[in-house]
Amino acid sequence: RVSQAMSQPSYLRFHVTVLGGRGLAPHKGSSSPYVSVEVKKVLVAVKGRKNLRGKTPVAKHCKDPNWDSEKCTFQYDFMDVTETLTFTCHDAEDSSVLGVLDIKGRRLEKILQLESGLERWYPLKEKHLNIGGKKVDLGDIFLKFTSNNNYNVKVAPSSCSIIMLGMLS
C-alpha cells in the first residue's frame, strides 16, 4: 500500500513579489503599466493547483511604478524544469505589450536556490526581438523570489513577503 505522502507529486512552492518597474514604455509619451505573471508549459496537472496566473494593479500614467507587495505576491508550485515563469508588462492605456521576461525552469531553479529572499532588477525583452539588430531598453521589473522548500535556504523573516513553513516532498 502506498502512503499518502508518497502518492503526492513532488514540487517546490515559492512566492514571487512584483515590487516595481523602471523605464517602462520609454518610447511612448505615457503608459499605465501592469505586470501579469503566468506559469507556462505545465506538464503535470495537480489536483487543487491554484494561482497559476496573477497580475499587479495598473499604475496609471507612471513609467516607474511601485506596487504594494501584499497585492503583488503570487504563490506557485514549481514542478518541472520544462516550466517557464513568464512576466508580461502591459500598457492598460492601449492594451500593448511593453516587454516580457521569461524565466525558464533551470534558471528558476537556480534563482530559488541561490537568490531566495533577495530583491533584484530583471530586464524586459521584446517578445519578438527584431528591431534592426539594435539593442532596445524596454525597462526593468523589480522582483523578489521567496522559497525555503527542499533547498534549505535560510531567509530572515524581516526580508520576506511571506514566510514558508515546512517542506513538501
Side-chain angles (χ1 to χ4, degrees), residues 15-20 55-57 65-75 119 142-144 146 158-162:
H15 293 87
V16 59
T17 304
V18 182
L19 296 165
K55 73 176 193 172
T56 66
N66 290 307
W67 284 291
D68 180 355
S69 64
E70 286 185 27
K71 293 180 182 175
C72 300
T73 297
F74 309 102
Q75 175 180 296
E119 298 172 354
F142 197 42
L143 304 175
K144 177 169 62 171
T146 306
S158 61
S159 67
C160 296
S161 297
I162 296 175

Side-chain angles (χ1 to χ4, degrees), residues 72-83:
C72 300
T73 297
F74 309 102
Q75 175 180 296
Y76 295 97
D77 297 331
F78 177 69
M79 300 192 66
D80 190 294
V81 294
T82 63
E83 294 179 344

